[in-house]
Amino acid sequence: MEQQSRLAGTVRPGGRTARTRAAVLEATQDELVECGFHGLNMDRVAAKAGVGKTTVYRRWGDPAGLVTDLMAELAESSAPHADTGGIEGDLLANALNVLGAVTDPRLGATFQAVIAAATGNEAAAAALNDFYLRRIRAWAPVVDRAVARGELPEGTDGMEVIRAVSAPLYYRLLVTREPVDEKVAEHAAARALAGARAGAFT
């Protein structure tokens, strides 16, 4: 769930339509960081992106449509899962990637805005759910490989292990508002690994 550039990766080639989408999503993220979901204004997004308002309304419809597309782009542009050769290193890499995302001033603020919006907006909630499912599914194969290597019990649920790694980080960030640092990330990965080795996720 890690950011590779100001938006979520280098702008992909694809002509005018792709450039328009990239500019609009960048402006959408600016608005989320500055104003939150409920302050997201379609006209300001269009102005910041340098495109016509009719284009933004026609293609994205409403603020929820912008957020849905932004979250899809963030998921698509996130770095692939690690392959350190062992499950301990892979889970630690996952924890550090999550840490990097939630503590990044721009990306962390984006997630917090969308998470806050998800409480009362079904479209925002669906976009958030889709983002996290895509990232969890992208990382689950590191657990499958560990099972194949004999590092974890047969039948270990890879998605549940990955959820267990990130859950303590999000809990501290969003519920208790405690500091989140590398030590917390390391402990989260180690505890998830201990549980997986003990068969807690089979």
Side-chain angles (χ1 to χ4, degrees):
M1 304 170 196
E2 46 289 330
Q3 189 181 34
Q4 295 179 357
S5 75
R6 192 162 181 262
L7 176 59
T10 55
V11 176
R12 301 171 190 158
R16 183 177 178 181
T17 299
R19 289 193 298 272
T20 295
R21 178 174 179 262
V24 168
L25 295 185
E26 183 108 347
T28 297
Q29 193 170 13
D30 286 342
E31 282 287 293
L32 283 173
V33 171
E34 294 169 15
C35 308
F37 177 79
H38 297 294
L40 184 59
N41 182 282
M42 301 280 282
D43 292 356
R44 286 200 303 268
V45 168
K48 284 184 177 182
V51 302
K53 290 187 288 185
T54 56
T55 298
V56 176
Y57 281 98
R58 184 176 62 249
R59 178 165 179 177
W60 286 276
D62 58 19
L66 286 170
V67 168
T68 298
D69 199 16
L70 173 63
M71 297 305 288
E73 175 63 21
L74 289 171
E76 185 67 24
S77 301
S78 296
H81 63 69
D83 187 2
T84 66
I87 189 61
E88 184 174 2
D90 290 347
L91 293 186
L92 177 58
N94 177 257
L96 293 176
N97 279 330
V98 173
L99 174 68
V102 300
T103 58
D104 179 86
R106 180 172 168 80
L107 192 55
T110 301
F111 287 134
Q112 293 209 42
V114 178
I115 289 168
T119 303
N121 186 286
E122 290 185 6
L128 189 66
N129 179 261
D130 182 66
F131 172 85
Y132 283 113
L133 280 178
R134 290 173 71 170
R135 295 309 301 149
I136 291 167
R137 287 173 180 147
W139 276 86
V142 305
V143 177
D144 298 336
R145 291 200 303 266
V147 171
R149 290 192 299 261
E151 294 180 272
L152 296 176
E154 289 289 336
T156 298
D157 188 326
M159 292 183 66
E160 288 303 307
V161 174
I162 298 303
R163 284 188 178 100
V165 173
S166 59
L169 304 181
Y170 284 106
Y171 182 82
R172 283 175 176 255
L173 176 76
L174 300 169
V175 179
T176 64
R177 303 290 179 174
E178 296 176 78
V180 182
D181 55 22
E182 284 194 15
K183 186 175 181 180
V184 172
E186 290 168 0
H187 285 172
R191 288 165 182 155
L193 178 57
R197 284 173 170 163
F201 302 104
T202 56

